[in-house]
Amino acid sequence: MFRFNRFMAIFVTIAMLGPTLPLEAKTRKGDKLLAEGRAHEEKKEWDAALEAYEKALSQDPSELVYQMAAQKARFEASAMHVTNGTKIRAQGQLGEALLEFQKAYALNPASTVAEQEILRTQEMIERERRRVEQTGVAAPPEVRGLTPSETANKETEDRIDRLLPVPELKPLNPRRQDFTMRNQPPKVIFDTLAVNAGLNIIYDPEYLSNGPKDKLDITFKDATVQEALDDLALRTKSYWKPINSNTIFVTMDNANKRRDYEDEETRIFYLRNTTANADLTAIVTAIRTVADLQRLFPFESQNAIIAKGSADKMALAEKIIHDLDKPKSEVVVDIYVLEASSVYMRTLATGIATTGLNLAGNFTPRSSLQVQQAATTGSTTTSTDTTSTTTNTGSTGVASSTTGTAIPFSHIGQVNAGDFSTVLPSALFQATMSDTRTKVLQSPQLRCVDGQKASMKIGEKEPTASGSFANTAGAIGVGVSPLVNTQFTYLDVGVNVEIQPKVHDNGDVSMHISLDISSVTGQVNLGGINEPIIGQRKIDEDVRLREGEVSLLGGLLNVQDTKGKTGTPGLSSIPIIGRLFSGETVDRERDEIMVALIPHVVRRPDITPENVRGVDSGPQNTVTVRLGPKRIEEEFQAPPAESPAPAPAAAGEAEKEAVQPVAVSAPVTVPAPVTVPAPATVPAPATVSPAVRPMAPPPTPPPSGPPGLMPPATAPPETAIRPPVPAAALAKPAGPVKIDFAQDRLDKNVGQTFDVAIQVDNARDVVSSAFVLQYNPKLLSLNDVAFGKFWSADGGEPLLIKNVQNDTGLAQVKLSRKPGSPALAGTGTLLTLSFKALAKGTDTISANNITLNNVQNQMVGSGSPKIAIDIK
């Protein structure tokens, strides 16, 4: 019997463990191959694992374990070859990738992915074959490995990269300078400003015919080109906009022209700090209202705003978003809930009848005093006992009985003390005391975001009946109770806190607080259901606290003293002896609760002076913004490795350099009717402060404009990349740079043609020059402008752009070295002017603000020479 029990125990154990053990096959070789395949599977060697599983399956094709293992390995091996093929194809190895995809398809013909990749790779191979046949050159691996969809995506990205922003004007001479012109029409002033800054200008044909014609006196002090153009446009009611980095378009300023010519841009603003959709909607509403930007769309999933509008409106919208998209302030609130209660109870009872006398007298008469009754008719049987009397009266069967305490009046005289009984009070001595003290401290901490409600619940949920309904459809007959359904809700019992803070800039915190401290104090039965009795302490208030300040939201003190005395009336009042007939109970309860909040600001509002700074946004009906010049550090790049020594400067010039180390262009002077005195010689560029980072000049595209205003360019745009400056150009000159006419005065006859040369002395590191020539068109006519030998000292020829307007007596000239040419230095003729005398008179020819610039577009010399001419 013992062996049988032992065998059954082993059998039951094996039966219980059997489902957790793997179901192995019954062939030893198949099991060995299965184990080999699992070893390869753990190493992610799916091809080897599949081979082992298939060999095991050949041993027993009906074995389910072999079938499941082989099927899994076949799927994983096919997916592995697809992954490998994708990686190889991305490297441009299309043939090897095709082999991998074909292996994947051979392993798992049901793989749709492998089939698709085979077709896609074959298409890519055919595409590469056609490219080689057409161009004779194979594509690079990174291009060859692009799928058709990836190629389309790359083309889309390239097109997006080529999308240009709204043009930004980048004049060749961006520095602040003084400019004065007197009694000139707006078009002449625009032309002069453009030439002085190295800009091209295009006019609206309607502006030339119907635009402003009144002559103006213009004076700009320490102004940039953009500021001068804006001021001139405001005075002449003109509207200008950049076409590209060095070309502007001018037309009349009215609603129709702005609608026709004002460029619009599309941008996506990604917000970084808004978390709620309401905040995103509020920012969109602010932009739409303030910036008058109507085409806005909030994209909530990416927390972005898509906008389309004019450049000025977009700039104002960018300012608004930058100022509003800020992280919200946060507050950590320490919450202290302190509750203390004490219960003191004392009971003292001594002697007899401490709770008063309550004696009951019981009457138990003897049986001989009981009532005895006889029958009136018929046979009568009388039995006498202490309980009842029965009388049988003939056929009527009338009987009567009385209780054991009922006696006839005739026996009253026989009643004595033995017929009465009572219970005497017992003696008692009781002295008990109970003193219970309870302290509860709850100290949760809650972190809140500015303006958002934060809640915390610590406790339990208590069910309570909220309603019931009866279903009488199943009631059958009278007395059958219908089915009653009771609905329950759950109340949060414990500490429930809701806080909505507002952090002020000075660190104060305003909070709307809702605090509910509740507990179950008992049970009450209502309709057969035990309902909890909830004791509640609730506070709702708004407070403003300093950081770290303690606020006592509520304090409750409940003190209850109860004293009771019981005993026998009269006897309990007897001094000393009365203690034997009385009892005394004393009950004192004290309950205190206090709630304290302490806010700690962990992030304040980040409002900078930039956020509160106002910006010029234009008149009421038009949104326009104006941009100031960029900082010098942003305008210029690092200075060259070798810097020439500073040229000696006069005392006045040295004082000027100490105030403003950056060399600036001299004021433009205009002769009669435009007259301005010539400025002093500007110091050499070595006086530029080392902190200033020079910038290579932007490319100069060919000038464009209506015929007669700007002639076509004589060479391709100038590039900022130039070879190193030769040592000769860096040699220290003998003295300061000087620009002047070759003669001081000329005497000519009417009809005579003559040349006037402008020379430069001690120049260095020169790659370009520009100036405005003014003369009296009634006395002189400018026939031609030619560059001098200074520009061809190394055998090269400069690029010459000239705009001669003999009707107004103005000529704008710009010269620059060809791309790749070295900078120039030395002394020579800068250019030659060919004039023809038209009428008798005396005139002054002024070459205003001739500037010599280096490769970084820094001014290395300037001058405003004049020459007097007398025509007879």
Side-chain angles (χ1 to χ4, degrees):
M1 189 65 181
F2 174 75
R3 292 180 178 178
F4 176 77
N5 292 338
R6 184 178 181 183
F7 172 76
M8 290 301 295
I10 295 174
F11 177 78
V12 171
T13 303
I14 295 175
M16 294 176 63
L17 296 177
T20 62
L21 297 176
L23 298 176
E24 302 294 350
K26 298 179 180 179
T27 61
R28 180 171 299 179
K29 187 175 181 179
D31 292 345
K32 183 178 180 181
L33 293 171
L34 179 65
E36 180 183 348
R38 288 177 176 172
H40 288 297
E41 181 177 338
E42 292 178 356
K43 299 178 183 178
K44 305 300 181 182
E45 299 172 352
W46 294 109
D47 288 340
L50 178 60
E51 182 180 358
Y53 291 149
E54 288 180 343
K55 289 180 180 180
L57 188 60
S58 65
Q59 298 296 321
D60 189 358
S62 63
E63 178 56 45
L64 183 60
V65 176
Y66 298 162
Q67 293 176 7
M68 294 174 59
Q71 185 65 27
K72 177 184 177 182
R74 184 175 292 107
F75 175 81
E76 294 291 347
S78 176
M80 179 190 68
H81 284 288
V82 171
T83 302
N84 293 340
T86 304
K87 293 179 180 179
I88 295 174
R89 186 177 62 189
Q91 300 173 0
Q93 303 175 12
L94 304 182
E96 292 80 352
L98 181 60
L99 292 177
E100 288 291 329
F101 295 138
Q102 289 173 347
K103 290 179 183 179
Y105 185 76
L107 291 174
N108 185 13
S111 176
T112 305
V113 175
E115 184 179 359
Q116 293 175 345
E117 295 300 334
I118 289 174
L119 297 177
R120 185 177 290 114
T121 306
Q122 289 176 345
E123 181 181 352
M124 295 170 64
I125 293 175
E126 181 63 21
R127 180 190 64 188
E128 183 62 20
R129 185 188 62 80
R130 292 195 302 266
R131 178 187 288 120
V132 173
E133 291 179 353
Q134 295 174 0
T135 62
V137 179
E142 60 274 10
V143 177
R144 190 165 58 246
L146 295 177
T147 64
S149 60
E150 292 173 344
T151 302
N153 293 337
K154 187 176 184 302
E155 292 175 354
T156 301
E157 293 175 358
D158 292 341
R159 285 194 297 270
I160 293 176
D161 291 339
R162 294 199 305 269
L163 292 176
L164 298 178
V166 173
E168 180 181 357
L169 194 63
K170 296 180 180 179
L172 293 179
N173 187 6
R175 294 180 180 82
R176 293 181 176 275
Q177 55 184 311
D178 298 340
F179 186 85
T180 301
M181 293 192 71
R182 302 185 184 282
N183 196 28
Q184 295 294 330
K187 180 179 177 300
V188 174
I189 301 176
F190 270 117
D191 290 341
T192 306
L193 282 174
V195 171
N196 184 61
L199 300 176
N200 303 320
I201 186 167
I202 301 176
Y203 291 95
D204 183 7
E206 188 175 350
Y207 182 84
L208 296 177
S209 58
N210 300 327
K213 298 294 191 300
D214 296 339
K215 295 184 178 181
L216 304 173
D217 293 337
I218 296 294
T219 300
F220 300 123
K221 297 293 185 180
D222 192 29
T224 63
V225 176
Q226 289 90 335
E227 292 173 347
L229 290 173
D230 288 337
D231 293 345
L232 180 59
L234 180 64
R235 293 187 59 179
T236 59
K237 296 183 179 181
S238 303
Y239 166 68
W240 72 274
K241 71 168 188 176
I243 301 297
N244 51 44
S245 61
N246 70 333
T247 304
I248 64 172
F249 173 80
V250 179
T251 185
M252 293 176 290
D253 189 6
N254 54 55
N256 294 333
K257 292 297 183 180
R258 283 186 173 268
R259 184 177 59 251
D260 294 340
Y261 293 108
E262 192 171 32
D263 293 328
E264 292 192 347
E265 61 177 322
T266 301
R267 288 186 61 182
I268 300 178
F269 298 97
Y270 289 94
L271 307 184
R272 298 173 295 176
N273 300 299
T274 57
T275 56
N277 294 336
D279 298 336
L280 181 63
T281 304
I283 292 179
V284 170
T285 303
I287 297 173
R288 184 177 286 116
T289 304
V290 177
D292 195 23
L293 196 60
Q294 302 302 320
R295 281 171 286 186
L296 293 173
F297 180 79
F299 195 71
E300 297 176 355
S301 64
Q302 294 293 330
N303 205 28
I305 300 175
I306 305 173
K308 183 177 186 297
S310 65
D312 290 337
K313 294 181 179 180
M314 297 295 279
L316 185 57
E318 185 177 28
K319 160 73 174 171
I320 295 174
I321 292 176
H322 176 267
D323 293 344
L324 297 182
D325 183 25
K326 291 182 174 294
K328 292 186 176 181
S329 303
E330 294 187 53
V331 182
V332 172
V333 182
D334 292 327
I335 305 172
Y336 293 92
V337 181
L338 301 95
E339 185 174 1
S341 63
S342 62
V343 178
Y344 175 82
M345 298 178 63
R346 188 189 69 182
T347 303
L348 181 63
T350 320
I352 303 171
T354 56
T355 59
L357 293 176
N358 186 11
L359 302 179
N362 299 323
F363 179 58
T364 56
R366 292 161 292 164
S367 61
S368 61
L369 300 178
Q370 301 285 331
V371 178
Q372 296 181 359
Q373 295 179 351
T376 57
T377 60
S379 60
T380 303
T381 302
T382 303
S383 8
T384 302
D385 54 24
T386 60
T387 59
S388 63
T389 301
T390 303
T391 303
N392 294 329
T393 308
S395 60
T396 61
V398 178
S400 62
S401 63
T402 61
T403 63
T405 59
I407 61 173
F409 281 103
S410 60
H411 294 174
I412 292 178
Q414 302 177 10
V415 176
N416 56 32
D419 295 326
F420 294 91
S421 64
T422 186
V423 179
L424 295 178
S426 58
L428 174 68
F429 177 78
Q430 181 181 7
T432 61
M433 185 182 68
S434 174
D435 189 356
T436 304
R437 299 177 184 272
T438 304
K439 294 182 179 180
V440 179
L441 172 62
Q442 292 176 325
S443 178
Q445 193 177 66
L446 192 61
R447 182 163 181 160
C448 317
V449 178
D450 184 87
Q452 296 185 5
K453 183 181 295 184
S455 62
M456 180 180 61
K457 299 179 180 180
I458 303 175
E460 301 83 22
K461 285 184 175 289
E462 288 289 336
T464 179
S466 60
S468 64
F469 64 92
N471 185 3
T472 60
I476 303 175
V478 180
V480 179
S481 298
L483 179 64
V484 178
N485 295 307
T486 303
Q487 298 175 339
F488 289 87
T489 58
Y490 288 85
L491 303 178
D492 293 315
V493 177
V495 179
N496 304 315
V497 183
E498 286 188 357
I499 299 178
Q500 186 171 357
K502 174 64 180 178
V503 181
H504 302 280
D505 188 46
N506 62 350
D508 289 359
V509 182
S510 296
M511 293 184 292
H512 175 77
I513 304 165
S514 177
L515 180 64
D516 185 355
I517 303 173
S518 56
S519 61
V520 178
T521 59
Q523 299 283 337
V524 61
N525 189 287
L526 298 176
I529 300 176
N530 288 332
E531 297 286 348
I533 300 175
I534 308 297
Q536 188 181 50
R537 301 177 181 90
K538 188 172 183 179
I539 300 173
D540 273 312
E541 65 179 3
D542 294 283
V543 296
R544 176 165 177 164
L545 305 173
R546 293 188 299 272
E547 182 180 3
E549 182 180 358
V550 181
S551 172
L552 298 178
L553 292 186
L556 176 63
L557 175 62
N558 182 21
V559 180
Q560 181 178 350
D561 290 341
T562 304
K563 184 177 182 181
K565 184 177 182 181
T566 60
T568 304
L571 297 178
S572 62
S573 301
I574 300 175
I576 301 175
I577 300 176
R579 283 285 185 180
L580 300 176
F581 303 96
S582 64
E584 186 180 74
T585 302
V586 176
D587 186 0
R588 295 176 180 173
E589 295 183 6
R590 182 184 180 91
D591 202 1
E592 297 180 67
I593 184 171
M594 183 178 67
V595 180
L597 294 184
I598 306 176
H600 303 282
V601 179
V602 295
R603 180 182 288 121
R604 291 189 179 184
D606 184 19
I607 300 177
T608 63
E610 180 186 4
N611 301 141
V612 299
R613 179 178 62 90
V615 296
D616 183 6
S617 58
Q620 180 178 2
N621 297 327
T622 303
V623 175
T624 57
V625 297
R626 298 198 295 178
L627 299 177
K630 293 183 179 180
R631 291 179 299 180
I632 296 179
E633 302 91 82
E634 300 175 357
E635 290 283 348
F636 300 99
Q637 300 175 355
E642 298 183 5
S643 179
E653 294 175 351
E655 182 180 358
K656 185 186 298 183
E657 292 172 10
V659 176
Q660 187 176 2
V662 180
V664 296
S665 58
V668 177
T669 56
V670 184
V674 185
T675 58
V676 173
T681 304
V682 178
T687 60
V688 177
S689 172
V692 179
R693 302 171 55 192
M695 180 189 71
T700 306
S704 57
L709 293 180
M710 297 296 291
T714 58
E718 179 183 0
T719 177
I721 303 177
R722 295 182 182 274
V725 179
L730 298 177
K732 182 178 179 180
V737 180
K738 182 179 180 181
I739 303 175
D740 203 349
F741 282 99
Q743 300 90 6
D744 295 333
R745 182 181 179 84
L746 292 176
D747 294 327
K748 301 296 178 181
N749 298 322
V750 176
Q752 184 179 359
T753 301
F754 58 94
D755 295 335
V756 179
I758 300 178
Q759 293 182 341
V760 59
D761 295 333
N762 301 323
R764 59 177 179 177
D765 197 19
V766 178
V767 297
S768 64
S769 176
F771 72 97
V772 177
L773 185 69
Q774 293 187 342
Y775 52 93
N776 190 344
K778 296 181 180 179
L779 301 180
L780 295 173
S781 174
L782 180 60
N783 296 335
D784 192 14
V785 178
F787 61 87
K789 293 183 179 181
F790 174 82
W791 297 99
S792 57
D794 59 351
E797 293 185 359
L799 304 176
L800 174 61
I801 300 176
K802 53 187 176 180
N803 181 16
V804 179
Q805 302 179 25
N806 284 317
D807 55 341
T808 59
L810 289 175
Q812 299 105 1
V813 180
K814 179 181 178 182
L815 298 99
S816 61
R817 298 282 286 170
K818 291 183 179 180
S821 301
L824 299 174
T827 300
T829 302
L830 196 64
L831 51 85
T832 301
L833 307 175
S834 179
F835 286 96
K836 181 179 180 180
L838 300 179
K840 295 181 180 181
T842 302
D843 188 19
T844 300
I845 303 175
S846 301
N848 298 318
N849 196 27
I850 299 180
T851 59
L852 304 178
N853 303 318
N854 60 12
V855 70
Q856 286 86 21
N857 200 34
Q858 292 178 324
M859 188 173 60
V860 295
S862 67
S864 296
K866 298 181 180 180
I867 183 173
I869 183 170
D870 186 13
I871 304 176
K872 300 178 180 178

